[in-house]
Amino acid sequence: MRVTFATEAAPGRPNEDFVAATPDAVVLLDGAGTPAGSESGCTHGVAWYSRALGSTLLTTMTQTSSPLIEILAEGIKTVASMHDFTCDLTHAGSPSATVVMLRHSADTLDWLILADSVLVLDTADTAEPMVICDDREALVGAAHRTTMDALPSGSPEHVAAHRAYVETLRGHRNRDGGFWVASADPLAADQALTGTVPAHQVRAAALLSDGASRLVDRFALTTWRQTLDLLDEHGPAELIRRVRAAEHSDPHGERWPRGKALDDATAAWCDLR
């Protein structure tokens, strides 16, 4: 694979996304931020967690052919061991992240998704790409975001409603009937979506955090097909630039209600041709 990627933090705070790649493997994580005023039980923070887990996963992916679920479970366990003696990993707000893993071998392309980042595969036999996303968090969250979405983004009332929304969702995290993310429990890896496709059937792949995919799935300003064409012609940085332009055009969330007016955005483009 030829891999290019770009990542950009939302202004004014650390980037809680993570992306890294080798010619045969790509990992993208989107850390679940802790709203101001909320506790996490961890002294390290979400950005640390995303980097620790992401680098651990990529290292293992390049050294073993084990199933991606097993690699993720071991990675979660390894990172938990890095801070279980200093932090309360039983806390409902313990750092967590979405995970997308992609591994290319001689004949196959293996993928894994946990939580709401997106994998888009440009397949040779269909005009429309294959879009893979774990939407369980969105389905749970839909019942709890009405108040937040009705308020202007950035207002004190919206900030408070967003904090309440995040804390409510913590009660549904990593449990049956809720949604699953990478955090402290390696059993969450068993809930990941996985698949394998013949490598010759895939022209390219895009890995997107939800801060990058919002150009399609929240703002509806482009299609997945057009997004793949954009990445192919102009690269991941241009996709993020267009996301930022859209966000700045609607600073108060009037056109597109959302928890974060500007979000960390990360995109990786993998060319297999």
Side-chain angles (χ1 to χ4, degrees):
M1 296 189 297
R2 293 183 297 276
V3 183
T4 56
F5 57 76
T7 184
E8 183 179 298
R13 65 173 189 259
N15 193 343
E16 294 173 335
D17 287 358
F18 174 90
V19 62
T22 71
D24 299 312
V26 189
V27 175
L28 184 149
L29 280 74
D30 181 354
T34 302
S38 293
E39 299 295 329
S40 71
C42 178
T43 62
H44 299 87
V46 174
W48 172 88
Y49 179 81
S50 295
R51 293 165 189 165
L53 180 58
S55 57
T56 299
L57 295 177
L58 186 65
T59 298
T60 308
M61 288 171 70
T62 61
Q63 295 177 345
T64 177
S65 59
S66 298
L68 297 183
I69 282 181
E70 292 183 11
I71 293 174
L72 177 56
E74 285 301 314
I76 293 172
K77 187 185 302 182
T78 296
V79 175
S81 72
M82 294 178 183
H83 66 141
D84 61 358
F85 56 94
T86 59
C87 305
D88 178 9
L89 302 191
T90 66
H91 193 287
S94 185
S96 64
T98 73
V99 180
V100 185
M101 302 164 66
L102 187 71
R103 182 174 62 194
H104 179 251
S105 68
D107 301 314
T108 62
L109 200 65
D110 301 325
W111 55 264
L112 176 149
I113 294 183
L114 185 65
D116 60 357
S117 292
V118 181
L119 174 66
V120 187
L121 300 179
D122 187 7
T123 53
D125 56 350
T126 59
E128 291 302 314
M130 179 187 302
V131 181
I132 309 157
C133 182
D134 177 359
D135 63 358
R136 285 172 287 188
E137 181 176 354
L139 294 174
V140 172
H144 302 285
R145 60 182 303 138
T146 304
T147 299
M148 177 182 69
D149 285 346
L151 296 165
S153 294
S155 67
E157 295 80 10
H158 183 272
V159 170
H162 179 246
R163 180 172 61 249
Y165 170 75
V166 170
E167 292 181 349
T168 296
L169 258 60
R170 287 176 175 177
H172 300 272
R173 189 180 79 171
N174 287 359
R175 61 184 58 192
D176 292 336
F179 62 94
W180 300 83
V181 292
S183 184
D185 184 359
L187 293 178
D190 293 335
Q191 302 296 325
L193 309 181
T194 61
T196 298
V197 294
H200 72 271
Q201 292 183 4
V202 180
R203 293 185 290 247
L207 291 74
L208 307 172
S209 70
D210 68 349
S213 68
R214 57 172 39 183
L215 195 68
V216 183
D217 54 23
R218 181 163 295 276
F219 300 161
L221 292 176
T222 186
T223 66
W224 294 116
R225 176 74 264 163
Q226 291 167 339
T227 298
L228 291 182
D229 293 341
L230 171 65
L231 288 165
D232 188 24
E233 295 174 18
H234 302 289
E238 175 61 16
L239 172 62
I240 294 174
R241 188 197 68 79
R242 296 191 187 191
V243 170
R244 289 285 179 258
E247 291 171 332
H248 285 299
S249 75
D250 181 42
H252 303 300
E254 296 171 348
R255 181 177 180 184
W256 301 300
R258 53 200 188 272
K260 300 175 183 177
L262 294 94
D263 196 6
D264 300 339
T266 302
W269 173 246
C270 311
D271 194 336
L272 285 85
R273 293 167 295 185

